[in-house]
Amino acid sequence: MPSLQTYSTFGLAAYCDSIQSFTDVASFLSVFNTSKNDKNAIYILGGGSNSIFTNDFDGTVLVNEIKGISHFDTEAHHYLRVGAGENWHDFVTLCMKEKWYGFENLALIPGSVGACPIQNIGAYGVEVNRLIDKVECVFLEAGEQVLLSNEDCQFGYRDSVFKHALANKVLITHVNFKLPKHYELETSYGELAALSEPTPEKVYSKVIEIRKSKLPNPDELGNAGSFFKNPVVPKALYEAIAQKYDSVPHFVVSGSTELPALQQQIKIPAAWLIDQAGFKGKTLNKVRCHPTQPLVLTNLGGATGGDVITMAKDIIASVQGKFGIQLEPEVRLLGSKGLISL
Ligand SMILES: Cc1cc2nc3c(=O)[nH]c(=O)nc-3n(C[C@H](O)[C@H](O)[C@H](O)COP(=O)(O)OP(=O)(O)OC[C@H]3O[C@@H](n4cnc5c(N)ncnc54)[C@H](O)[C@@H]3O)c2cc1C
């Protein structure tokens, strides 16, 4: 049985029945239909930086390697059509070289272009949905190709239609981006705000520098980035917490700022909650809650799926007990039959 260890940046030892890569829709459909006829489970994989195989997977893993980048310009915009199997950071770096600006805050996020719409990747004040024009997909059952508009994708915070109505129903083949030639750089985030005379190049370099200093490099220490989403809570709950703790970090969720105070939604960093619950730097067998960023769980080498699940459940229960907030995983956890929840 082939090993999945190097196909997921968390790097747990796990196996599956078969791993096959594809470079176009026809080769994907051929493998997909064969696996389906054999009643094999199927999991589509990009860079594996948001997927953790907690167990052997009874099925076929299909790795997307659809490549290619094309581009045209109008007076106001750059339009890009990008193969889903392109590496995200390489693509962002190419855009910087070509002066197709807009992606600078999203530098150094691991993974593939095809996965970027799925959880609407975001960092340092920018989410990718604001640059996505259309997403090209193939419906798995019918083999039919469809073009989804930005609106069809129903983007939200680390969320989209691909996690709900279209979960496990489509293969994303290409993402089409529309970059305004005139736009405002997003530098409101802490260390970016300190940049003097910011340019896209300066933001790009700074983001890489900050990420390298704070986040473990998956090539050196297995991890899947943020393990949990930052919870969004009603203002009344935030205020109850703020009465008990000094300076609770928080952000009013954009879109709710216009609402009466008590209806506003407040985002509290999960890293702060996990730290307060006493998990920062804590180790369970071979899984560690990262000392400089407690939102990240790492594989110290030889961790098991059981270790990961136990640590994650402990964190969820502690944060729930202390703050009454239910953390939700941002990562995709897989068991032997497919996606699992905690
Ligand atoms: C160190 C580190 C830092 C990170 N920082 C960030 C960050 O700042 N912001 C952020 O948003 N995320 C971050 N992440 C998470 C991760 O990089 C993103 O979620 C990324 O988009 C995952 O891409 P991938 O190709 O590796 O996804 P995979 O893990 O391969 O797949 C993720 C999900 O998408 C599905 N999928 C993948 N490709 C396709 C396709 N073509 N068609 C249909 N379904 C598909 C898979 O089935 C799976 O369910 C980080 C991860 C790491 C390891």
Side-chain angles (χ1 to χ4, degrees):
M1 282 170 96
S3 167
L4 286 163
Q5 195 155 19
T6 56
Y7 285 87
S8 152
T9 58
F10 206 91
L12 298 181
Y15 296 84
C16 64
D17 295 342
S18 146
I19 301 175
Q20 305 202 34
S21 54
F22 57 92
T23 53
D24 55 35
V25 173
S27 59
F28 168 80
L29 285 176
S30 141
V31 183
F32 175 80
N33 287 327
T34 312
S35 303
K36 197 177 78 179
N37 291 341
D38 294 345
K39 301 212 179 335
N40 268 344
I42 285 160
Y43 188 68
I44 298 170
L45 197 65
S49 60
N50 197 34
S51 302
I52 302 180
F53 294 95
T54 67
N55 211 329
D56 293 343
F57 177 65
D58 295 341
T60 302
V61 170
L62 292 173
V63 183
N64 189 337
E65 288 184 4
I66 298 177
K67 305 279 189 196
I69 300 174
S70 56
H71 152 256
F72 70 90
D73 261 13
T74 61
E75 204 170 309
H77 293 94
H78 298 290
Y79 286 86
L80 304 168
R81 178 177 187 259
V82 188
E86 292 285 349
N87 174 276
W88 175 260
H89 178 66
D90 292 349
F91 163 64
V92 170
T93 303
L94 172 81
C95 291
M96 295 307 297
K97 272 197 204 125
E98 297 289 343
K99 302 195 187 309
W100 301 330
Y101 296 134
F103 294 111
E104 45 282 343
N105 298 54
L106 303 175
L108 214 63
I109 297 180
S112 62
V113 168
C116 83
I118 293 181
Q119 71 153 4
N120 184 19
I121 59 169
Y124 305 102
V126 172
E127 287 183 324
V128 75
N129 67 314
R130 76 181 195 193
L131 302 166
I132 290 179
D133 186 22
K134 295 184 174 74
V135 177
E136 296 176 42
C137 305
V138 175
F139 272 98
L140 301 182
E141 286 304 323
E144 179 200 358
Q145 306 204 18
V146 283
L147 196 57
L148 299 181
S149 68
N150 181 301
E151 205 181 18
D152 293 334
C153 294
Q154 299 172 22
F155 290 116
Y157 165 61
R158 298 295 177 276
D159 205 19
S160 71
V161 72
F162 304 107
K163 285 187 161 188
H164 301 282
L166 295 185
N168 302 321
K169 292 204 167 66
V170 295
L171 165 75
I172 293 174
T173 63
H174 296 83
V175 182
N176 294 252
F177 298 98
K178 180 180 175 185
L179 313 180
K181 290 186 176 172
H182 298 288
Y183 73 105
E184 274 190 34
L185 272 176
E186 171 55 61
T187 55
S188 56
Y189 181 89
E191 290 162 75
L192 298 182
L195 285 173
S196 70
E197 296 178 24
T199 61
E201 285 79 7
K202 281 189 190 174
V203 172
Y204 168 83
S205 301
K206 190 72 191 173
V207 164
I208 291 177
E209 185 189 317
I210 303 171
R211 293 184 72 97
K212 282 188 171 166
S213 72
K214 291 203 174 141
L215 292 170
N217 177 350
D219 291 338
E220 291 158 11
L221 189 59
N223 76 90
S226 302
F227 199 94
F228 298 101
K229 293 189 204 178
N230 291 314
V232 173
V233 304
K235 187 158 190 183
L237 178 53
Y238 158 73
E239 284 182 344
I241 296 170
Q243 279 187 352
K244 283 204 213 154
Y245 296 85
D246 287 340
S247 52
V248 180
H250 66 284
F251 312 88
V252 179
V253 173
S254 60
S256 80
T257 40
E258 320 290 297
L259 297 171
L262 279 180
Q263 289 172 27
Q264 288 179 1
Q265 297 285 302
I266 309 291
K267 192 185 279 183
I268 303 182
W272 182 84
L273 297 166
I274 296 168
D275 186 7
Q276 294 296 315
F279 281 88
K280 187 165 156 179
K282 202 168 169 181
T283 303
L284 174 97
N285 296 331
K286 295 289 183 189
V287 177
R288 176 177 289 166
C289 182
H290 197 60
T292 55
Q293 174 43 285
L295 194 47
V296 176
L297 301 186
T298 61
N299 174 4
L300 299 178
T304 65
D307 297 339
V308 176
I309 290 172
T310 306
M311 175 72 115
K313 282 186 170 170
D314 283 357
I315 292 175
I316 291 172
S318 294
V319 168
Q320 173 71 45
K322 205 170 170 72
F323 299 103
I325 294 176
Q326 179 76 21
L327 290 181
E328 285 177 28
E330 184 176 309
V331 295
R332 302 294 188 103
L333 295 165
L334 285 122
S336 57
K337 304 286 174 213
L339 290 169
I340 54 172
S341 46
L342 288 174

